[in-house]
Amino acid sequence: MDIRAAIAAERRELADLLDGLTTEQWDAPSLCAGWRVRDVAAHMSLGFRHRLPALAAELLKARGSLHRMTDRCARKDAAALSAPQLAAALRDNADHPWTPPVGGLAAALGHDVVHGLDITVPLGLDRRVPEDRLRVLLAGITPKSLKFFRADTDGIALHADDLDWSYGTGTPLHGTAQDLLLVAFGRRLPPGRLRGAPSDRFATA
């Protein structure tokens, strides 16, 4: 598939979705611990709105911690930008060539898809990520990626209910492909979305 085209489509679709959110939804919690929906949206466009020297300066302020830097920038930008501006930052940069420090285009697609789900899942919005995009990301799940995202899947076999896809060995954990993708990216989901295994191990409190 054309991953660049998929990234652009994902950003435009998410921008349209963001345009339809209420003020209460913008301020609702996301799946990213401690971040509201607007913080996630601000983070998603960070690489488009800030040049590398500015990001390097922010990293220095955070004493070299990428986590602290992204958290600080997301909160600051979410406070400075309006909801329409945050949505426009995604739409206007749909074709931006940004990629994460590692992983290339597939990682950029994963960044947008997973953060989009960080927004839609806790809001209860039934957005279905297109299958071709999901398959690219599911194919990229490896022991190394699970470790990077601190996904605790030891002894668990992920089995998608809506796609012919599984990963790992052990006690089966069932769910939609996009919910299992979130598990592989270290997310905890609202209760009731997963079946089997100790599903509460992957559920929000």
Side-chain angles (χ1 to χ4, degrees):
M1 67 175 290
D2 185 339
I3 298 184
R4 287 189 185 278
I7 291 170
E10 184 72 14
R11 290 173 185 169
R12 292 189 181 101
E13 291 163 19
L14 289 173
D16 290 344
L17 183 145
L18 291 174
D19 276 335
L21 298 185
T22 65
T23 300
E24 291 76 16
Q25 288 173 316
W26 276 100
D27 289 326
S30 74
L31 292 186
C32 295
W35 280 4
R36 301 162 298 167
V37 166
R38 67 175 62 248
D39 299 318
V40 177
H43 169 71
M44 291 180 72
S45 61
L46 176 69
F48 314 148
R49 294 180 288 99
H50 297 281
R51 295 185 180 275
L52 189 57
L55 292 176
E58 291 290 347
L59 189 58
L60 283 175
K61 291 179 186 176
R63 301 187 301 281
S65 169
L66 187 62
H67 176 76
R68 280 196 297 267
M69 184 205 80
T70 54
D71 183 67
R72 180 176 180 275
C73 287
R75 296 176 188 277
K76 181 178 69 173
D77 292 349
L81 299 172
S82 67
Q85 287 174 319
L86 290 170
L90 271 183
R91 181 180 294 106
D92 295 347
N93 292 283
D95 296 300
H96 195 285
W98 175 87
T99 60
V102 295
L105 289 174
L109 178 63
H111 182 268
D112 293 338
V113 166
V114 171
H115 280 316
L117 292 171
D118 285 335
I119 290 171
T120 59
V121 168
L123 290 180
L125 303 178
D126 188 25
R127 178 177 186 261
R128 309 301 297 177
V129 178
E131 181 179 329
D132 57 351
R133 299 175 205 171
L134 282 176
R135 287 197 179 277
V136 169
L137 303 179
L138 293 171
I141 295 173
T142 64
K144 185 177 180 179
S145 73
L146 293 171
K147 182 178 180 180
F148 179 83
F149 291 110
R150 299 177 182 176
D152 180 18
T153 59
D154 288 347
I156 300 295
L158 306 178
H159 289 271
D161 294 331
D162 52 345
L163 292 182
D164 181 18
W165 178 85
S166 63
Y167 180 89
T169 58
T171 307
L173 180 70
H174 292 268
T176 65
Q178 62 188 44
D179 280 352
L180 295 178
L181 179 68
L182 287 171
V183 169
F185 273 69
R187 302 310 198 259
R188 290 181 174 272
L189 280 65
R193 296 185 71 98
L194 302 171
R195 296 180 295 103
S199 56
D200 55 348
R201 171 172 156 189
F202 306 99
T204 53

